[in-house]
Amino acid sequence: MTRRVVITGIGIIAPGAKDTAAFWDNCLAGRAAVSPIPPHWRHYAEFTSTIWAPLPVLDYPALGLSRVELMQLDASSMLALCAAQQALDSARIGRAVKNEKKNTFALEGINPERTAVYCGSGIGGLTSLIAAQANHVVSPLAKAFSLVQQQLALDGTHAPARTVLADAEESIRMPPRFNPFIVSMTMPNAISANVGIKYSLFGPNTTVCCACSAGTVAIGNAFTAVRAGLADCALCGGAEFLGDDFGGIFRGFDIAHTLVNPGNDPDCANRPFDKRRSGFLFAEGGAAILVVEELSHARNRGAPIVAEITAFAESFDGHNIMMMDPSAVHIRRMLGTLLKNAGLDLSDIDYVNSHGTGTTANDEIEARVILDCFGKKPLVNSTKSLIGHTIGAGGAIEAAVTALSIKNKTTHACKNLDEPIADLNFVRHVETFPIKKAVSQSFAFGGHNAGLVLEEYE
Amino acid sequence: MEIAGTDALIMERMTKVISDVLKPGSQPITLDKRFKEDLGADSLDVVSLLMALEEEFHTQISDEEAARFTTVGAAFDYVKVKAAQKAS
């Protein structure tokens, strides 16, 4: 008999939202998170895009992280841990202290050997490596710089040079020491590993690295493992932190002409599927962690069931490392497999949470695929129209939105969609929608395509 | 040994750092305590402790200096000297 897999807990941290409730409120209210990029980034480069979607200020100690964890963990792991705790709380899974010094716990009512962790991430702990590298490279230069400044000041000459040096000094930013934990902070597998350590979970544990579809694939891997009987429960999703202190990661996307042009009205610049779209809104980061369980496991412990996952599929373009294959042949194949795996027809789908980045080429291709594969019936929206692109967390946040949309029988509108590029059933207003069967789909740099089918639990 | 005045404040802050990092439970943190043998620190804990002390007292501790940090008293003496240097 096929093992059924259900979502019983959701935890989200996203631009503009510290938790799932605030995030969902923002979604339904159409509140987007858009701000100018940090002013000090302009010391290093001129940027074409000058807006981003920042995370809220998070009080990590208040969220349960220790002083040691703040020193030893990259922000991507910290976001994953905070989202995981939210997910466990909403799944009504309690915890008991296992080791006070390590700040670790054992989960109650869960067999840790039968519980897996699958998180997705695009860059892992790269921002920590950038900070450590700044200390590594800049420290000796900063000392020399300081000596030159002192000498010039003593001489009382070269006033223009002193002004140049004083200006340049402002751009020197680095942590006070080279972090001795940098290896374990940088490695992408640290995200899932830290979740497994925090909650003493001994089942399969992997971080999935496939850029913008990583969160979707991670949930897909959890679904596959639980359905196949390799685990009874899993913490899965995605976590990403992209806000390095120099705007270097932002610059990488900016120089590749992928980011949104802020224009005269930055609040209206991010507009997936609109004729005036110009690129995606770079998000500082985010995380979504889901608790998924085999159905009887969830029912036996009286867990609240949000939605059921009924299928996962993935494919690879084999086309270009930074561009979607315009024919979308392997996306179509992936969607066909996805629905076949779910035992559904294309016409059964009520709602598609699109990848919806807002880039000219991607939206064009995705809109055509949705029209060809699903027709005009399903509701379509882009969560990135509200929170920007969180890369490896994006698919997980969007799967969470899909589950919440099914549970709450409503979903959010496409922000800033004035002139749609295709005749699709885009969500323009929040109202009651009888969503029973939905698809969440992601496409990534590299060529990784992935989709999930979520259904109302009956 | 009784510690008073500025030194007492330094000790208070240092005790909090040691407590946060090592969680020694009911074991009192006194100057004679050895980090590893008495307060249960392993080698990674010692590295974490050094980082936390650097952060708390806005100073940098070289590897050479760190090697001498085997007891609470040694760390206290070091921090005290650094604090006095900053004040002067």
Side-chain angles (χ1 to χ4, degrees):
Chain A
M1 196 173 119
T2 304
R3 284 161 60 95
R4 295 173 69 181
V5 183
V6 291
I7 298 168
T8 55
I10 295 175
I12 300 172
I13 296 171
K18 294 179 182 179
D19 57 40
T20 309
F23 169 77
W24 188 241
D25 279 353
N26 286 349
C27 284
L28 296 186
R31 273 191 297 271
V34 182
S35 288
I37 56 173
H40 74 269
W41 284 5
R42 293 170 190 261
H43 284 304
Y44 310 106
E46 286 298 320
F47 298 97
T48 303
S49 186
T50 53
I51 54 175
W52 73 333
L55 283 164
V57 175
L58 297 166
D59 182 353
Y60 285 116
L63 293 169
L65 297 186
S66 71
R67 186 169 195 153
V68 172
E69 287 171 316
L70 297 188
M71 294 188 298
Q72 295 186 3
L73 302 184
D74 178 74
S76 56
S77 283
M78 293 198 277
L79 288 166
L81 289 173
C82 293
Q85 187 55 54
Q86 278 186 48
L88 290 166
D89 289 343
S90 74
R92 296 183 201 148
I93 297 174
R95 64 182 197 177
V97 174
K98 184 179 181 192
N99 184 313
E100 192 191 359
K101 185 163 85 178
K102 293 181 180 172
N103 199 26
T104 59
F105 301 88
L107 297 182
E108 294 165 346
I110 296 288
N111 180 349
E113 294 177 2
R114 299 279 302 161
T115 303
V117 180
Y118 294 98
C119 294
S121 184
I123 64 164
L126 184 60
T127 59
S128 286
L129 181 65
I130 290 171
Q133 197 70 355
N135 175 284
H136 180 66
V137 175
V138 178
S139 286
L141 298 176
K143 281 180 193 160
F145 197 88
S146 177
L147 284 174
V148 170
Q149 276 187 308
Q150 284 171 21
Q151 193 57 51
L152 288 176
L154 280 176
D155 293 349
T157 56
H158 302 290
R162 276 184 283 149
T163 305
V164 170
L165 287 173
D167 287 345
E169 192 174 26
E170 279 187 40
S171 69
I172 297 177
R173 300 172 79 92
M174 60 179 173
R177 70 138 57 217
F178 187 90
N179 195 312
F181 297 97
I182 194 58
V183 171
S184 58
M185 294 171 87
T186 304
M187 56 194 205
N189 59 307
I191 297 170
S192 291
N194 282 316
V195 172
I197 291 167
K198 170 66 76 179
Y199 299 110
S200 315
L201 303 173
F202 312 119
N205 186 304
T206 306
T207 297
V208 177
C209 280
C210 50
C212 320
S213 57
T216 306
V217 174
I219 295 169
N221 287 353
F223 162 77
T224 303
V226 173
R227 175 168 271 200
L230 302 173
D232 296 324
C233 181
L235 290 176
C236 57
E240 199 77 272
F241 184 75
L242 302 159
D244 72 89
D245 212 11
F246 311 94
I249 297 170
F250 182 94
R251 188 179 184 180
F253 285 104
D254 189 52
I255 208 164
H257 304 292
T258 58
L259 300 185
V260 66
N261 182 338
N264 296 325
D265 189 354
D267 287 339
C268 296
N270 180 30
R271 42 199 319 132
F273 296 116
D274 186 89
K275 285 179 180 169
R276 288 186 288 148
R277 72 197 181 283
S278 59
F280 75 78
L281 177 67
F282 180 98
E284 184 179 17
I289 299 293
L290 311 183
V291 176
V292 303
E293 300 177 62
E294 191 275 324
L295 178 60
S296 63
H297 184 274
R299 288 173 71 168
N300 287 343
R301 62 175 199 85
I305 295 174
V306 184
E308 181 171 1
I309 305 176
T310 57
F312 166 63
E314 57 185 328
S315 70
F316 186 67
D317 277 354
H319 171 73
N320 185 292
I321 199 76
M322 285 181 78
M323 292 173 71
M324 287 168 76
D325 177 354
S327 75
V329 60
H330 297 292
I331 292 176
R332 293 167 203 270
R333 184 171 59 83
M334 180 275 289
L335 290 171
T337 305
L338 182 69
L339 292 166
K340 186 180 163 203
N341 291 348
L344 298 175
D345 290 326
L346 297 167
S347 59
D348 291 329
I349 298 301
D350 302 310
Y351 165 52
V352 176
N353 186 301
S354 71
H355 190 56
T357 58
T359 62
T360 310
N362 284 22
D363 283 8
E364 189 76 42
I365 296 167
E366 185 172 16
R368 206 167 58 237
V369 166
I370 293 171
L371 194 60
D372 292 350
C373 292
F374 300 107
K376 296 178 183 177
K377 176 201 160 194
L379 297 159
V380 178
N381 62 7
S382 159
T383 302
K384 294 181 184 77
S385 73
L386 292 162
I387 61 166
H389 198 344
T390 56
I391 311 293
I397 292 172
E398 290 152 20
V401 167
T402 307
L404 291 169
S405 299
I406 290 169
K407 182 189 169 202
N408 295 311
K409 301 202 177 300
T410 188
T411 193
H412 67 78
C414 294
K415 182 87 174 170
N416 297 325
L417 181 59
D418 295 331
E419 295 179 85
I421 57 169
D423 187 17
L424 289 169
N425 188 14
F426 288 114
V427 183
R428 311 299 287 272
H429 306 284
V430 174
E431 55 189 278
T432 300
F433 298 115
I435 300 170
K436 288 179 180 289
K437 302 176 196 306
V439 166
S440 181
Q441 58 191 28
S442 302
F443 318 121
F445 271 13
H448 313 269
N449 311 306
L452 293 161
V453 172
L454 272 59
E455 299 187 41
E456 184 179 51
Y457 169 68
E458 293 178 31
Chain B
M1 184 178 107
E2 191 172 328
I3 307 171
T6 311
D7 288 358
L9 288 176
I10 290 173
M11 187 63 190
E12 190 183 324
R13 287 166 66 192
M14 207 163 99
T15 302
K16 172 81 166 66
V17 172
I18 295 168
S19 176
D20 281 351
V21 175
L22 301 183
K23 303 278 183 195
S26 57
Q27 184 74 261
I29 297 167
T30 52
L31 293 175
D32 60 318
K33 288 290 190 303
R34 295 167 298 177
F35 289 122
K36 287 187 176 173
E37 294 83 350
D38 301 323
L39 299 178
D42 60 27
S43 55
L44 288 180
D45 292 334
V46 171
V47 176
S48 301
L49 184 61
L50 290 170
M51 285 180 72
L53 288 170
E54 285 184 336
E55 191 180 86
E56 177 70 25
F57 294 102
H58 307 289
T59 187
Q60 285 190 53
I61 304 168
S62 70
D63 291 345
E64 209 171 74
E65 292 163 332
R68 294 201 296 272
F69 277 29
T70 53
T71 65
V72 175
F76 175 69
D77 288 343
Y78 175 83
V79 171
K80 211 167 53 169
V81 170
K82 285 281 183 181
Q85 284 172 354
K86 274 194 179 171
S88 62

PDB file of all heavy atoms in Angstrom, chain A residues 85 88 93-96 105-112 115 199-201 235:
ATOM      1  N   GLN A  85      12.365  25.571  14.243  1.00  0.00           N
ATOM      2  CA  GLN A  85      11.677  25.607  15.535  1.00  0.00           C
ATOM      3  C   GLN A  85      10.217  26.017  15.363  1.00  0.00           C
ATOM      4  O   GLN A  85       9.322  25.446  15.989  1.00  0.00           O
ATOM      5  CB  GLN A  85      12.404  26.548  16.510  1.00  0.00           C
ATOM      6  CG  GLN A  85      11.835  26.502  17.917  1.00  0.00           C
ATOM      7  CD  GLN A  85      11.798  25.087  18.494  1.00  0.00           C
ATOM      8  OE1 GLN A  85      12.811  24.400  18.528  1.00  0.00           O
ATOM      9  NE2 GLN A  85      10.625  24.641  18.923  1.00  0.00           N
ATOM     10  N   LEU A  88       8.352  23.007  14.000  1.00  0.00           N
ATOM     11  CA  LEU A  88       8.094  21.993  15.033  1.00  0.00           C
ATOM     12  C   LEU A  88       6.978  22.437  15.965  1.00  0.00           C
ATOM     13  O   LEU A  88       6.114  21.642  16.353  1.00  0.00           O
ATOM     14  CB  LEU A  88       9.383  21.727  15.829  1.00  0.00           C
ATOM     15  CG  LEU A  88      10.477  21.000  15.043  1.00  0.00           C
ATOM     16  CD1 LEU A  88      11.813  21.086  15.776  1.00  0.00           C
ATOM     17  CD2 LEU A  88      10.089  19.537  14.805  1.00  0.00           C
ATOM     18  N   ILE A  93       5.223  19.358  17.910  1.00  0.00           N
ATOM     19  CA  ILE A  93       6.270  18.426  18.332  1.00  0.00           C
ATOM     20  C   ILE A  93       7.089  19.119  19.422  1.00  0.00           C
ATOM     21  O   ILE A  93       7.736  20.133  19.172  1.00  0.00           O
ATOM     22  CB  ILE A  93       7.176  18.025  17.150  1.00  0.00           C
ATOM     23  CG1 ILE A  93       6.360  17.269  16.090  1.00  0.00           C
ATOM     24  CG2 ILE A  93       8.358  17.170  17.632  1.00  0.00           C
ATOM     25  CD1 ILE A  93       7.123  16.943  14.822  1.00  0.00           C
ATOM     26  N   GLY A  94       7.016  18.578  20.615  1.00  0.00           N
ATOM     27  CA  GLY A  94       7.728  19.176  21.742  1.00  0.00           C
ATOM     28  C   GLY A  94       9.194  18.784  21.751  1.00  0.00           C
ATOM     29  O   GLY A  94       9.650  17.958  20.944  1.00  0.00           O
ATOM     30  N   ARG A  95       9.944  19.385  22.671  1.00  0.00           N
ATOM     31  CA  ARG A  95      11.372  19.088  22.735  1.00  0.00           C
ATOM     32  C   ARG A  95      11.831  19.085  24.190  1.00  0.00           C
ATOM     33  O   ARG A  95      11.232  19.751  25.039  1.00  0.00           O
ATOM     34  CB  ARG A  95      12.167  20.107  21.925  1.00  0.00           C
ATOM     35  CG  ARG A  95      12.060  21.513  22.482  1.00  0.00           C
ATOM     36  CD  ARG A  95      12.806  22.541  21.673  1.00  0.00           C
ATOM     37  NE  ARG A  95      13.002  23.745  22.468  1.00  0.00           N
ATOM     38  CZ  ARG A  95      13.669  24.813  22.079  1.00  0.00           C
ATOM     39  NH1 ARG A  95      14.209  24.850  20.882  1.00  0.00           N
ATOM     40  NH2 ARG A  95      13.818  25.852  22.862  1.00  0.00           N
ATOM     41  N   ALA A  96      12.858  18.329  24.447  1.00  0.00           N
ATOM     42  CA  ALA A  96      13.461  18.303  25.778  1.00  0.00           C
ATOM     43  C   ALA A  96      14.945  18.586  25.625  1.00  0.00           C
ATOM     44  O   ALA A  96      15.564  18.175  24.631  1.00  0.00           O
ATOM     45  CB  ALA A  96      13.255  16.934  26.416  1.00  0.00           C
ATOM     46  N   PHE A 105      18.601  19.539  21.582  1.00  0.00           N
ATOM     47  CA  PHE A 105      17.331  19.005  22.104  1.00  0.00           C
ATOM     48  C   PHE A 105      17.044  17.623  21.525  1.00  0.00           C
ATOM     49  O   PHE A 105      17.594  17.238  20.492  1.00  0.00           O
ATOM     50  CB  PHE A 105      16.184  19.947  21.734  1.00  0.00           C
ATOM     51  CG  PHE A 105      16.372  21.335  22.264  1.00  0.00           C
ATOM     52  CD1 PHE A 105      17.062  22.291  21.526  1.00  0.00           C
ATOM     53  CD2 PHE A 105      15.910  21.684  23.525  1.00  0.00           C
ATOM     54  CE1 PHE A 105      17.273  23.570  22.019  1.00  0.00           C
ATOM     55  CE2 PHE A 105      16.122  22.963  24.031  1.00  0.00           C
ATOM     56  CZ  PHE A 105      16.789  23.905  23.281  1.00  0.00           C
ATOM     57  N   ALA A 106      16.163  16.911  22.198  1.00  0.00           N
ATOM     58  CA  ALA A 106      15.601  15.677  21.657  1.00  0.00           C
ATOM     59  C   ALA A 106      14.113  15.946  21.423  1.00  0.00           C
ATOM     60  O   ALA A 106      13.468  16.584  22.255  1.00  0.00           O
ATOM     61  CB  ALA A 106      15.786  14.540  22.649  1.00  0.00           C
ATOM     62  N   LEU A 107      13.604  15.515  20.283  1.00  0.00           N
ATOM     63  CA  LEU A 107      12.192  15.754  19.977  1.00  0.00           C
ATOM     64  C   LEU A 107      11.325  14.693  20.645  1.00  0.00           C
ATOM     65  O   LEU A 107      11.689  13.507  20.701  1.00  0.00           O
ATOM     66  CB  LEU A 107      11.979  15.755  18.459  1.00  0.00           C
ATOM     67  CG  LEU A 107      12.725  16.858  17.709  1.00  0.00           C
ATOM     68  CD1 LEU A 107      12.395  16.805  16.216  1.00  0.00           C
ATOM     69  CD2 LEU A 107      12.388  18.242  18.262  1.00  0.00           C
ATOM     70  N   GLU A 108      10.163  15.124  21.113  1.00  0.00           N
ATOM     71  CA  GLU A 108       9.276  14.214  21.830  1.00  0.00           C
ATOM     72  C   GLU A 108       8.310  13.537  20.868  1.00  0.00           C
ATOM     73  O   GLU A 108       7.757  14.186  19.968  1.00  0.00           O
ATOM     74  CB  GLU A 108       8.516  15.000  22.909  1.00  0.00           C
ATOM     75  CG  GLU A 108       9.457  15.519  24.000  1.00  0.00           C
ATOM     76  CD  GLU A 108       8.835  16.586  24.888  1.00  0.00           C
ATOM     77  OE1 GLU A 108       7.767  17.123  24.518  1.00  0.00           O
ATOM     78  OE2 GLU A 108       9.434  16.876  25.940  1.00  0.00           O
ATOM     79  N   GLY A 109       8.110  12.237  21.064  1.00  0.00           N
ATOM     80  CA  GLY A 109       7.141  11.499  20.248  1.00  0.00           C
ATOM     81  C   GLY A 109       7.617  11.207  18.837  1.00  0.00           C
ATOM     82  O   GLY A 109       6.820  10.891  17.956  1.00  0.00           O
ATOM     83  N   ILE A 110       8.925  11.363  18.596  1.00  0.00           N
ATOM     84  CA  ILE A 110       9.491  11.148  17.259  1.00  0.00           C
ATOM     85  C   ILE A 110      10.657  10.185  17.399  1.00  0.00           C
ATOM     86  O   ILE A 110      11.480  10.329  18.300  1.00  0.00           O
ATOM     87  CB  ILE A 110      10.047  12.494  16.696  1.00  0.00           C
ATOM     88  CG1 ILE A 110       8.925  13.507  16.508  1.00  0.00           C
ATOM     89  CG2 ILE A 110      10.831  12.295  15.418  1.00  0.00           C
ATOM     90  CD1 ILE A 110       8.003  13.209  15.368  1.00  0.00           C
ATOM     91  N   ASN A 111      10.736   9.189  16.504  1.00  0.00           N
ATOM     92  CA  ASN A 111      11.902   8.305  16.499  1.00  0.00           C
ATOM     93  C   ASN A 111      13.028   9.008  15.737  1.00  0.00           C
ATOM     94  O   ASN A 111      12.939   9.177  14.524  1.00  0.00           O
ATOM     95  CB  ASN A 111      11.542   6.977  15.827  1.00  0.00           C
ATOM     96  CG  ASN A 111      12.732   6.018  15.790  1.00  0.00           C
ATOM     97  OD1 ASN A 111      13.869   6.418  16.079  1.00  0.00           O
ATOM     98  ND2 ASN A 111      12.468   4.776  15.435  1.00  0.00           N
ATOM     99  N   PRO A 112      14.093   9.433  16.428  1.00  0.00           N
ATOM    100  CA  PRO A 112      15.124  10.234  15.744  1.00  0.00           C
ATOM    101  C   PRO A 112      15.842   9.477  14.633  1.00  0.00           C
ATOM    102  O   PRO A 112      16.353  10.085  13.695  1.00  0.00           O
ATOM    103  CB  PRO A 112      16.086  10.611  16.883  1.00  0.00           C
ATOM    104  CG  PRO A 112      15.849   9.617  17.953  1.00  0.00           C
ATOM    105  CD  PRO A 112      14.411   9.220  17.853  1.00  0.00           C
ATOM    106  N   THR A 115      13.884   9.905  11.369  1.00  0.00           N
ATOM    107  CA  THR A 115      13.576  11.291  10.989  1.00  0.00           C
ATOM    108  C   THR A 115      14.726  11.872  10.167  1.00  0.00           C
ATOM    109  O   THR A 115      15.882  11.844  10.608  1.00  0.00           O
ATOM    110  CB  THR A 115      13.317  12.154  12.239  1.00  0.00           C
ATOM    111  OG1 THR A 115      12.248  11.556  12.979  1.00  0.00           O
ATOM    112  CG2 THR A 115      12.925  13.574  11.858  1.00  0.00           C
ATOM    113  N   TYR A 199      18.430  19.053  16.848  1.00  0.00           N
ATOM    114  CA  TYR A 199      17.304  18.240  17.314  1.00  0.00           C
ATOM    115  C   TYR A 199      17.651  16.755  17.432  1.00  0.00           C
ATOM    116  O   TYR A 199      16.752  15.926  17.547  1.00  0.00           O
ATOM    117  CB  TYR A 199      16.091  18.450  16.391  1.00  0.00           C
ATOM    118  CG  TYR A 199      15.642  19.899  16.408  1.00  0.00           C
ATOM    119  CD1 TYR A 199      15.817  20.717  15.303  1.00  0.00           C
ATOM    120  CD2 TYR A 199      15.076  20.446  17.551  1.00  0.00           C
ATOM    121  CE1 TYR A 199      15.440  22.052  15.332  1.00  0.00           C
ATOM    122  CE2 TYR A 199      14.700  21.780  17.588  1.00  0.00           C
ATOM    123  CZ  TYR A 199      14.888  22.577  16.480  1.00  0.00           C
ATOM    124  OH  TYR A 199      14.520  23.895  16.520  1.00  0.00           O
ATOM    125  N   SER A 200      18.935  16.426  17.377  1.00  0.00           N
ATOM    126  CA  SER A 200      19.390  15.037  17.582  1.00  0.00           C
ATOM    127  C   SER A 200      18.645  14.072  16.659  1.00  0.00           C
ATOM    128  O   SER A 200      18.022  13.111  17.115  1.00  0.00           O
ATOM    129  CB  SER A 200      19.185  14.627  19.049  1.00  0.00           C
ATOM    130  OG  SER A 200      19.631  15.646  19.916  1.00  0.00           O
ATOM    131  N   LEU A 201      18.724  14.334  15.373  1.00  0.00           N
ATOM    132  CA  LEU A 201      18.033  13.501  14.380  1.00  0.00           C
ATOM    133  C   LEU A 201      19.066  12.679  13.615  1.00  0.00           C
ATOM    134  O   LEU A 201      20.052  13.233  13.118  1.00  0.00           O
ATOM    135  CB  LEU A 201      17.235  14.390  13.416  1.00  0.00           C
ATOM    136  CG  LEU A 201      16.210  15.304  14.093  1.00  0.00           C
ATOM    137  CD1 LEU A 201      15.581  16.266  13.098  1.00  0.00           C
ATOM    138  CD2 LEU A 201      15.144  14.481  14.816  1.00  0.00           C
ATOM    139  N   LEU A 235      12.321  16.943   8.451  1.00  0.00           N
ATOM    140  CA  LEU A 235      12.354  18.413   8.433  1.00  0.00           C
ATOM    141  C   LEU A 235      12.974  18.771   7.089  1.00  0.00           C
ATOM    142  O   LEU A 235      14.077  18.312   6.769  1.00  0.00           O
ATOM    143  CB  LEU A 235      13.208  18.948   9.569  1.00  0.00           C
ATOM    144  CG  LEU A 235      12.645  18.790  10.986  1.00  0.00           C
ATOM    145  CD1 LEU A 235      13.643  19.289  12.022  1.00  0.00           C
ATOM    146  CD2 LEU A 235      11.343  19.553  11.122  1.00  0.00           C
TER     147      LEU A 235
END
